[in-house]
Amino acid sequence: MIRVLVVHDTALVRSVLAEWLHRESDLEVYDAPWRGAPARVRSLRPDVCAVDLDCSDAYGIPPLADLRVRDADRTPPHLLVLASVNRPGLLKRALEAGALGYVDKEGSPDRLVRGIRRVAEGERFVDDSLGFAFLKAAEMPLTRRELSVLSLAAEGASVAEIAGSLHLSHGTVRNYMAAITRKTGARNRVDAIRISQGEGWL
């Protein structure tokens, strides 16, 4: 039996996905929103976390690392992400977090089941339709920390708010914004946000 935790911030979508997966006799399915997911991982100890990369909390930055915390007597769950081709920045984050499975949200539900089974075995699973998005993710010049700073800036956060959220000094945030502006070829912060959103990095 494969224990699966479905993580999605939209309650209706989350419950429908979980109900649909319950039909599979080899899957034991639970669900949680992002905010409650780390606690559910600790209590349920799932084999696979099937997570939506679009997260309504944390300024749209999915806290994937929170699901992969190592336990003294058990390895962390494998990650399978539900992704969109137009968000290569989120794919890069998932790759850096150690995700093994990548299922296109526009694809067939059967692909999700197949992906869960493969990932539970410790094997990689990638929908072919996400290939171009992975190429774009590889070309993205921004680091994970720079993306976090820019994501907060795109939500309208001030330098002080970004510094508080990410536990950085004001000067460090300004340095990150300068690096982001330079790397994206932007004229200023607003232009950097516009370029990054256009490229699908945010």
Side-chain angles (χ1 to χ4, degrees), residues 107-193:
S108 159
D110 293 330
R111 300 287 293 165
L112 176 58
V113 174
R114 197 170 310 144
I116 287 170
R117 289 180 177 135
R118 287 273 295 279
V119 167
E121 295 293 324
E123 298 175 16
R124 187 168 297 283
F125 180 89
V126 181
D127 263 339
D128 294 340
S129 56
L130 295 174
F132 183 69
F134 270 106
L135 289 175
K136 286 191 79 167
E139 294 169 356
M140 185 173 52
L142 304 179
T143 65
R144 181 171 41 193
R145 180 58 93 181
E146 289 165 348
L147 279 172
S148 296
V149 168
L150 192 59
S151 294
L152 291 168
E155 293 290 326
S158 67
V159 169
E161 290 168 333
I162 295 170
S165 292
L166 300 178
H167 309 290
L168 301 171
S169 71
H170 293 197
T172 300
V173 171
R174 287 189 191 93
N175 288 342
Y176 277 126
M177 286 307 304
I180 290 164
T181 302
R182 180 177 39 78
K183 287 180 175 183
T184 58
R187 296 184 307 274
N188 53 41
R189 171 169 141 160
V190 173
D191 196 32
I193 292 167

Side-chain angles (χ1 to χ4, degrees), residues 4-8 10-25 27-33 40 50 82 109 112-113 116:
V4 181
L5 178 64
V6 175
V7 181
H8 200 294
T10 306
L12 179 60
V13 174
R14 183 175 70 240
S15 60
V16 168
L17 267 176
E19 190 61 37
W20 191 84
L21 290 171
H22 269 298
R23 298 176 184 175
E24 303 296 321
S25 60
L27 302 183
E28 186 178 337
V29 185
Y30 304 89
D31 64 271
R40 293 284 279 174
L82 305 174
L112 176 58
V113 174
I116 287 170

Side-chain angles (χ1 to χ4, degrees), residues 50-99:
V51 304
D52 179 38
L53 281 183
D54 290 317
C55 172
S56 65
D57 287 344
Y59 297 94
I61 305 165
L64 294 165
D66 294 352
L67 305 180
R68 300 269 301 149
V69 177
R70 293 193 178 275
D71 194 312
D73 59 340
R74 188 171 172 128
T75 57
H78 296 301
L79 289 180
L80 177 142
V81 298
L82 305 174
S84 298
V85 295
N86 61 346
R87 301 292 302 275
L90 291 178
L91 278 177
K92 184 174 184 179
R93 287 174 193 269
L95 194 60
E96 290 170 347

